[in-house]
Amino acid sequence: MTETNFKTDLDADGVLSVVWDMPGRSMNVLSADAILELAELVERVVADEGVKGVIVSSGKAAFSGGADLTMLEGIARVYATEKARHGEAAAAKAVYEESSRLSQLYRRIETSGKLWVCVIHGVCLGGAFELALACHWRIASNDKSTRVGLPEVKVGLFPGAGGTTRVARMLPPGDALQMLMKGEQIRPDKARAMRLVDEVATKDEMAAKAKAWILGGGKAVKPWDEKGFKLPGGPVWSKAGFMTFPPANAIYRRETQDNYPAIRAMLQVVFDGLQLPMDLALRVESRHFAKVIRSPEAAAMIRTLFVSMQELNKGARRPKAVPPTSIKKVGIVGAGFMGAGVGYVTAQAGMEVVLVDRDQEAADKGKAFAEKLISGQVVKGRATGAERDALLGRITPTPDYAALADCDLVIEAVFEDPKVKAEVIAKVEAAIGPNTIFASNTSTLPISGLAKASRRPEQFVGIHFFSPVEKMMLVEVIEGERTGEVALATALDYVRAIRKTPIVVKDSRGFFANRCVIAYMLEGHLMLTEGVPAAMVENVAKQAGMPVGPLSLNDEVALDLGLKIIDSTRAQLGDAAVNPAQEKLLRALVETEGRLGRKNGKGFYDYPEGGKKRLWPGLAALAGKTLDPDTIDISELRHRLLVAQALEAARTVEEGVVTDVREADVGAILGFGFAPYTGGPLSWIDGMGPRRFVRLAAALAEIHGPRFRPNRLLIDLAETGDTFYGRFAGGGAAPAAAA
């Protein structure tokens, strides 16, 4: 046997050390060749009487991130190939056989008669944790980097290598379903309390403890393979079962609106599997997994939320000719909510931060915000007191611009007013060195216009954060007309350093995310003015897959801000660019009713202190009419909300604002929560086919006006039978001539 991915060493006591260390990779993954090699290793262990037990560990800094999802993409493609050659039944069988290999391998480990111990340091997720669950003993390091979990639901799948079935036999079904549905990464101490791992030890102790367990007579039979095994939560058809599965199904429906076939299948696997012997339960799991893996939802989510996002996080859009930049010190001008959040995530990434505001008191408030956030992490056990002190020690609040002199990067986060920003730019450039990059955190103002106030426009770039900064994973890096490659590369390196996902956007009004969000909120506003009940607007949005309705979202970003955008749009583009019905609604809410959104406790919703928010009863009277809900086409409402956003995304590609289709889809999901099950707006269009989408948009345009009119690029794709990913795959851009 060739030892490429797994290195083995059998000691004098009959304990075989298996070190998973894939060459040329920073992290181990379950690739096709790794699985084949592991299968050969297992058979060798079974046949060798000299092996008493096996200790599986990793030669990397982390154990493993799980399966290579590009391999799973390949399995899904097998279906189409086999169907064309041999028909539906043969294709389904081929996918089942391919996708169940890992489950069968892990069952072979579990029933091999040899003791298997998994020692876990760093992350151990997905298929790798399913390997650990198949082992007879699990030891996790107490290092802060160690996490275990089954996050498959986040990419449209569920644990299909035995993880779903084993977890359901290790935990009460309610706890198992919660863990599987959330897909969270679990700390070692919590994993031990849940009995997902058997021991927690220091990294240096783990190997000795694993060997001691083997030589001490550990058991090579899992509880569910022993006679008399009882499920932790009792039988499915029991009082406890009736208190678990009907509510679980209701929660699934409420949280997902039945848009995620993987979670639905997972519920079925647990329910059916707990009524069956282990081998038959695993077979049920594999059959459901084989069906889910070829679903359009899984294909779209794997591509966008794993493959594309991973490529962007690794610098797919970074200028290749620019050497890596080392950012050690970052200046932030404006210590308000956004600036303070940027300061926090920057210091959290280990960089020094200079936080500048108009006076010492304002700057100190910005640091106090960071202290509140990190202290909350300490209380939750996610950080130590020493880590809190170190982070706060990296933040220097000051009113003195001279403190920015040795910063590698300066980010301004002041009020959205070109004059205010121009004043800040002048002060900053008077203080910084010749090589410092300057970035503006603006959500609407064109970067090229702001750069006119700079003496060094080639070193001027936009870095648009989303609120709240510490939670939102997307950052738009905006390339102005004169932004140089070094400035762009520095911005991308910085975003990567703070562990967020960047998309590169060409300069335009609203950039990418805000253009789509504004279209979404506009549609919600117009529905309301048409007489659609506010509750229906919000609920249909959630049914379509959006995390919050357009009215709730508008409350979060502030209604008066929306009105300011309308005013600035009219000033720049004229009356034709403003929708009068939307303007009338917002003016009535803001100027007549004084409703500004969540920030003053009243917007489309009321926000009573200590109570849950509720829709303001006055909305119906404000709209002037209310339609009978039974006469409203729910499907049309759902399409309006999604098509409005998808059309705007398509326009940004046509205009060259977004030059990489991966960024449109990743940015839409991370930035404003565009229905994740679709894989993003362009994937949604591709999934139904541009021809069908154009017909849908044109039909809506006939009823609701030209805002739904398909753009020329979409019409071209429809006429040629092409798709966004077919034409622009691999980061290819839509040429300006396509517009």
Side-chain angles (χ1 to χ4, degrees):
M1 171 183 166
T2 302
E3 295 189 350
T4 303
N5 301 295
F6 298 91
K7 304 295 188 292
T8 64
D9 181 33
L10 182 63
D11 69 14
D13 295 314
V15 176
L16 182 70
S17 170
V18 176
V19 179
W20 189 4
D21 195 1
M22 300 181 76
R25 289 181 179 265
S26 59
M27 181 175 284
N28 297 318
V29 295
L30 286 160
S31 59
D33 61 326
I35 293 170
L36 180 62
E37 187 177 327
L38 180 60
E40 293 174 355
L41 190 157
V42 171
E43 294 309 315
R44 194 179 93 192
V45 167
V46 172
D48 191 342
E49 294 182 359
V51 177
K52 294 179 180 178
V54 180
I55 300 173
V56 183
S57 63
S58 171
K60 308 291 187 187
F63 189 84
S64 169
D68 180 356
L69 292 189
T70 56
M71 174 190 70
L72 296 182
E73 277 191 310
I75 293 175
R77 286 193 292 270
V78 166
Y79 179 77
T81 304
E82 288 296 311
K83 184 178 179 181
R85 291 177 181 172
H86 306 295
E88 175 84 27
K93 182 180 178 182
V95 172
Y96 170 79
E97 290 175 349
E98 285 295 321
S99 63
S100 63
R101 290 186 194 281
L102 194 57
S103 179
Q104 293 167 7
L105 172 58
Y106 290 169
R107 183 59 172 160
R108 179 64 168 149
I109 288 172
E110 192 170 62
T111 59
S112 65
K114 299 295 178 76
L115 296 165
W116 286 74
V117 181
C118 187
V119 296
I120 302 165
H121 177 74
V123 294
C124 178
L125 304 173
F129 189 49
E130 289 181 284
L131 167 61
L133 292 173
C135 290
H136 304 98
W137 199 252
R138 289 168 296 282
I139 305 174
S141 79
N142 60 3
D143 191 87
K144 66 179 182 179
S145 69
T146 299
R147 295 287 188 278
V148 300
L150 298 169
E152 286 87 343
V153 293
K154 296 183 179 180
V155 289
L157 298 172
F158 70 91
T164 301
T165 299
R166 289 188 177 89
V167 166
R169 280 164 166 71
M170 298 170 73
L171 306 177
D175 295 341
L177 288 171
Q178 186 176 48
M179 173 191 167
L180 294 167
M181 285 184 181
K182 286 186 174 181
E184 293 179 338
Q185 297 184 22
I186 303 169
R187 300 189 306 273
D189 53 345
K190 185 176 179 182
R192 173 69 182 86
M194 296 170 70
R195 299 185 181 179
L196 295 171
V197 301
D198 300 291
E199 285 188 78
V200 176
T202 65
K203 184 181 179 182
D204 295 337
E205 295 174 331
M206 290 195 299
K209 284 183 175 290
K211 183 173 180 178
W213 185 83
I214 292 172
L215 297 181
K219 187 178 289 187
V221 180
K222 286 295 190 73
W224 41 83
D225 288 322
E226 293 187 294
K227 187 176 181 179
F229 170 68
K230 293 183 179 180
L231 296 170
V236 169
W237 297 100
S238 66
K239 182 178 179 181
F242 278 106
M243 292 175 67
T244 298
F245 289 100
N249 185 58
I251 292 169
Y252 159 71
R253 299 274 172 175
R254 183 191 70 198
E255 295 297 321
T256 72
Q257 301 296 324
D258 204 22
N259 286 320
Y260 295 86
I263 303 179
R264 187 192 322 127
M266 190 166 62
L267 272 168
Q268 193 72 54
V269 167
V270 173
F271 181 77
D272 290 345
L274 289 177
Q275 301 175 66
L276 299 169
M278 186 66 175
D279 288 301
L280 194 53
L282 288 170
R283 190 174 179 185
V284 168
E285 179 184 290
S286 292
R287 288 193 178 280
H288 280 283
F289 186 77
K291 183 178 181 180
V292 166
I293 199 174
R294 64 180 195 259
S295 69
E297 292 86 355
M301 291 179 74
I302 288 172
R303 180 174 66 187
T304 297
L305 294 175
F306 178 77
V307 179
S308 295
M309 194 158 79
Q310 191 175 70
E311 290 167 351
L312 295 177
N313 285 337
K314 289 182 177 179
R317 299 286 283 119
R318 190 186 187 280
K320 301 294 185 280
V322 180
T325 58
S326 177
I327 304 169
K328 297 178 181 177
K329 193 171 186 178
V330 177
I332 297 160
V333 182
F337 182 67
M338 288 297 290
V342 175
Y344 171 72
V345 298
T346 305
Q348 195 174 41
M351 289 173 269
E352 297 292 321
V353 175
V354 177
L355 196 55
V356 177
D357 212 308
R358 62 183 181 276
D359 54 43
Q360 189 64 49
E361 182 181 0
D364 287 339
K365 284 182 180 178
K367 182 172 181 176
F369 179 77
E371 183 173 9
K372 179 182 177 181
L373 291 177
I374 188 61
S375 295
Q377 295 297 301
V378 173
V379 170
K380 294 174 183 176
R382 296 174 184 171
T384 65
E387 289 170 334
R388 175 196 58 209
D389 295 343
L391 183 147
L392 294 175
R394 290 191 287 271
I395 301 176
T396 303
T398 179
D400 188 3
Y401 278 78
L404 302 171
D406 57 346
C407 288
D408 304 298
L409 170 69
V410 173
I411 303 169
E412 68 81 6
V414 298
F415 188 67
E416 288 281 282
D417 183 313
K419 292 181 180 179
V420 174
K421 289 185 182 289
E423 291 173 4
V424 167
I425 292 166
K427 290 179 180 179
V428 170
E429 289 190 347
I432 59 178
N435 299 319
T436 302
I437 301 301
F438 184 94
S440 174
N441 173 52
T442 177
S443 59
T444 56
L445 299 175
I447 290 298
S448 300
L450 295 176
K452 291 177 181 178
S454 171
R455 293 174 297 169
R456 314 176 306 172
E458 71 284 352
Q459 290 173 253
F460 196 105
V461 66
I463 301 181
H464 174 213
F465 291 89
F466 293 79
S467 180
V469 176
E470 68 277 6
K471 292 182 180 178
M472 297 298 287
M473 294 308 299
L474 183 73
V475 175
E476 286 182 318
V477 175
I478 300 108
E479 193 176 3
E481 291 174 1
R482 297 180 63 183
T483 300
E485 286 197 338
V486 172
L488 180 60
T490 300
L492 289 169
D493 289 346
Y494 165 73
V495 174
R496 186 178 181 184
I498 61 174
R499 294 182 283 278
K500 295 190 183 293
T501 297
I503 62 171
V504 177
V505 180
K506 296 289 185 179
D507 195 17
S508 78
R509 182 178 177 79
F511 314 127
F512 169 71
N514 279 345
R515 283 180 58 169
C516 298
V517 167
I518 288 170
Y520 176 56
M521 291 191 294
L522 169 63
E523 215 52 43
H525 295 161
L526 296 183
M527 287 177 182
L528 197 63
T529 64
E530 292 163 13
V532 178
M536 183 174 280
V537 174
E538 297 290 85
N539 287 332
V540 169
K542 292 178 183 177
Q543 289 173 14
M546 298 301 294
V548 296
L551 309 181
S552 180
L553 179 61
N554 201 170
D555 272 3
E556 296 296 328
V557 300
L559 274 61
D560 56 330
L561 176 59
L563 200 53
K564 287 176 183 176
I565 291 173
I566 285 175
D567 290 339
S568 63
T569 299
R570 175 180 283 111
Q572 291 190 13
L573 304 176
D575 288 340
V578 174
N579 187 293
Q582 180 189 38
E583 181 180 12
K584 181 181 178 182
L585 174 67
L586 289 179
R587 288 208 183 279
L589 284 164
V590 174
E591 297 177 353
T592 305
E593 302 291 341
R595 306 185 71 86
L596 308 182
R598 181 183 281 275
K599 68 181 182 181
N600 79 330
K602 51 184 184 178
F604 287 103
Y605 286 78
D606 284 323
Y607 299 87
E609 280 192 32
K612 290 184 177 180
K613 71 177 186 180
R614 54 179 178 266
L615 283 162
W616 178 46
L619 287 176
L622 202 64
K625 57 181 175 179
T626 302
L627 299 175
D628 179 355
D630 292 335
T631 66
I632 299 172
D633 186 341
I634 299 298
S635 177
E636 182 183 302
L637 295 184
R638 185 163 55 242
H639 282 144
R640 284 174 64 180
L641 291 167
L642 293 183
V643 170
Q645 298 175 77
L647 276 171
E648 200 60 36
R651 291 176 187 126
T652 65
V653 176
E654 179 177 270
E655 295 165 16
V657 175
V658 172
T659 59
D660 188 317
V661 292
R662 296 171 297 182
E663 292 179 304
D665 280 343
V666 170
I669 293 176
L670 296 188
F672 51 93
F674 185 90
Y677 70 90
T678 66
L682 302 187
S683 285
W684 186 56
I685 293 171
D686 281 1
M688 72 170 70
R691 188 173 290 119
R692 180 182 164 199
F693 180 84
V694 164
R695 288 199 301 267
L696 175 60
L700 290 173
E702 284 290 322
I703 302 169
H704 299 288
R707 67 181 181 280
F708 283 108
R709 195 171 292 151
N711 57 306
R712 278 171 284 180
L713 172 59
L714 270 171
I715 293 170
D716 181 55
L717 291 174
E719 289 175 346
T720 60
D722 212 341
T723 62
F724 281 101
Y725 278 85
R727 182 176 293 187
F728 308 121

